[in-house]
Amino acid sequence: EVQLVESGGGLIQPGGSLRLSCAASGFTVISNYMSWVRQAPGKGLEWVSVIYSAGSPHYADSVKGRFIISTDNSKNTLYLQMNSLRGEDTAVYYCARGFPHFYWGQGTLVTVSS
Amino acid sequence: EIVLTQSPGTLSLSPGERATLSCRASQSVSSNYLAWYQQKPGQAPRLLIYGASSRATGIPDRFSGSGSGTDFTLTISRLEPEDFALYYCQQYGSSLYTFGQGTKLEIK
C-alpha cells in the first residue's frame, strides 16, 4: 500500500529555516516523480517543486533560490529544505507522488510568524 | 509560466443535475497534460482526471474530462451529495506545474 507521511512543520520566525520530510512506503521515491504542493489557509493549491531521478529539480518562481528539494534513497524519504522563510510561506505542505499527483500525504502545517 | 483560469468561481447546483467546470490555459498545454483534482475540507486533494480525459483508479464514471490545447472541461453527469467540494485543474506539461484557482461546487 502506498503511503506518504509528512513531518517537520511548525512555527518559525521570518528569515528562519525549516526542513520538511515525507516518508514513503509501498514504492521507491527515486523511481518516481515526487513533488511538494502547498496550500495557504483558506486559499487554493500552489505547486512548489518536483524532483525526478532522471532530471534536474524544478521550482515555482515564488520559492526558487530559497527552497531545495531532495531525496534520501536509503530512507526512502523526500525532503524540502526551506530557507529565508516569509509570512507568505505559511501553508499546509503536501508531498505527492506521480506525474501528475496520484498519491498525496496528509500534509504538515508551516506557520511563519514572529 | 502557464496560467490556468477556472470558471465559474462558484457553481450552485442540486443533486442529480449536471455540472460543467471550465479550465482555460494562457498557452497550449503540452501533450494535454491536464489534471483535475477534488478537495474536501480538511482533506488532501484527490486526483480525478489526468491526461485531460483519463479517469484515475476508483473514480466513478459520472466524472469525465475533455478538451485540448488551451480549453478543458470537467463534467459531472449527475451530481451526488458527496460531489459538492472544491475542484482544481493543474497543468504538468511544462517544467513549472501550475494549478488553477479552483471552482467551488456548492449545493443549491
Side-chain angles (χ1 to χ4, degrees), chain B residues 22-100:
Chain B
S22 174
C23 177
R24 179 163 290 179
S26 60
Q27 55 189 280
S28 185
V29 176
S30 175
S31 302
N32 288 333
Y33 282 156
L34 193 287
W36 290 93
Y37 299 86
Q38 177 192 69
Q39 188 180 33
K40 296 180 179 179
Q43 296 184 16
R46 176 174 72 146
L47 178 68
L48 301 174
I49 301 289
Y50 63 96
S53 59
S54 298
R55 267 189 305 276
T57 302
I59 302 304
D61 61 7
R62 63 179 182 274
F63 291 91
S64 63
S66 62
S68 63
T70 60
D71 288 296
F72 299 88
T73 301
L74 174 70
T75 301
I76 311 172
S77 58
R78 290 175 311 279
L79 285 166
E80 297 287 343
E82 62 267 27
D83 298 336
F84 293 91
L86 277 164
Y87 291 85
Y88 296 94
C89 59
Q90 181 199 34
Q91 69 79 24
Y92 52 105
S94 72
S95 58
L96 304 185
Y97 305 172
T98 47
F99 286 94

Side-chain angles (χ1 to χ4, degrees), chain A residues 33 35 37 39 43-47 50 58-61 94 98-102 104-107, chain B residues 1 33 35 37 39 43-47 49-50 56 88 90 92-93 95-101:
Chain A
Y33 284 84
S35 299
V37 175
Q39 187 168 36
K43 302 297 183 182
L45 301 172
E46 180 186 15
W47 173 79
V50 63
H58 296 285
Y59 301 93
D61 289 344
Y94 296 101
F99 182 79
H101 313 312
F102 287 85
W104 296 67
Q106 84 290 348
Chain B
E1 174 183 311
Y33 282 156
Y37 299 86
Q39 188 180 33
Q43 296 184 16
R46 176 174 72 146
L47 178 68
I49 301 289
Y50 63 96
Y88 296 94
Q90 181 199 34
Y92 52 105
S95 58
L96 304 185
Y97 305 172
T98 47
F99 286 94
Q101 83 279 14

Side-chain angles (χ1 to χ4, degrees), chain A residues 3 5 7 9 14 19 24-25 29 35 45 47-48 50-51 54 63 67-68 76-77 79 81 84 90 95 99 102 104:
Chain A
Q3 270 202 316
V5 180
S7 60
R19 189 179 78 159
S25 57
V29 297
S35 299
L45 301 172
W47 173 79
V48 172
V50 63
I51 189 169
V63 307
F67 290 10
I68 300 172
N76 207 33
T77 297
Y79 299 101
Q81 177 66 43
S84 302
T90 294
C95 66
F99 182 79
F102 287 85
W104 296 67

